[in-house]
Amino acid sequence: MLSSVQASEKETRAELKVLQACYIDGYYRTLDFDYMSSVLSKVLSFIEENSWDCRRVPSRETLDVLQELEPREVLQHCLDCFAEQSSSTPTGGGGGGDTEDAEIFYRLDEDKICRFFAEELLRPTRNFNFKEFLLTWQQAVPEGFSTSLDQIQGLALIDRTSRPEVIKYFPASELPEDLSKRLAALFKAKEKWTFEEIKPYIESLVTEKMDAGALLTKYARSSYQQGVKVYNSKAPRTT
């Protein structure tokens, strides 16, 4: 695959990581969202059943037990997507043991897991009463985790002009890759954006020569709304 794409190995592997592609039997595959949800649920339930500290989850025991339910490669992929390796301990108990026999521990990534649960709620309905969403979301995540709107940047839009307020599923991954088409889609969905709101939706299009601020300066029109700088389309509005 590396020889067939017009990108460096580093760029290709970075994009595969963004896509959360899983390496199985010599091939990279993207897993269905609902399937990934099922696997993550099994992992989280197993951690809860063992009353493990979410900052120190033993990977070997997790994989050894749950591989009876799911492929080991998929389970490892789930840990890699939603946790970070925190430490390793020689199984012999002494210092300097064989690193191949070391027990590897993972720390669950609170932000990534909370974001996944938010998407799980928003995908089926696309629109959700904002206050009800906040309550349901917090109740859905693992005990001890805290939800935050920062966790769903680039995933959803909040319409505060509607009554009641509504949150809409609007993932950056579904937008066009072409810059002009993406900006058109963004300004069609929402007429005016603050920099903090629009940045997650254009970050993948920035370059070393043009960051998000420079991109907006060149391709969008800015103004101030109640003292806050906002961006809107340069294209004339059609009625």
Side-chain angles (χ1 to χ4, degrees), residues 47-91:
I47 293 170
E48 182 179 2
E49 289 168 8
N50 287 279
S51 301
W52 286 336
D53 185 339
C54 65
R55 297 166 297 182
R56 193 171 170 79
V57 178
S59 64
R60 177 176 297 171
E61 184 174 350
T62 302
L63 300 177
D64 286 349
V65 174
L66 293 182
Q67 69 179 355
E68 297 180 5
L69 304 174
E70 302 291 351
R72 193 179 185 92
E73 298 92 339
V74 173
L75 293 165
Q76 181 63 61
H77 176 68
C78 183
L79 287 177
D80 291 337
C81 287
F82 297 104
E84 296 180 358
Q85 185 175 330
S86 60
S87 63
S88 60
T89 303
T91 55

Side-chain angles (χ1 to χ4, degrees), residues 3 55 60 73 89 108 135 141 148 155 161 180-181 185 206:
S3 62
R55 297 166 297 182
R60 177 176 297 171
E73 298 92 339
T89 303
L108 296 184
L135 178 61
V141 300
S148 165
L155 182 67
T161 63
S180 61
K181 291 181 180 179
V206 302

Side-chain angles (χ1 to χ4, degrees), residues 114-131:
C114 287
R115 181 184 178 90
F116 189 86
F117 273 88
E119 185 168 7
E120 197 172 46
L121 291 172
L122 292 168
R123 279 172 66 99
T125 61
R126 311 295 291 196
N127 295 316
F128 211 118
N129 178 292
F130 183 51
K131 288 186 177 180

Side-chain angles (χ1 to χ4, degrees), residues 129-131 158-166:
N129 178 292
F130 183 51
K131 288 186 177 180
I158 302 168
D159 184 355
R160 297 188 183 277
T161 63
S162 66
R163 293 293 179 270
E165 294 180 345
V166 172

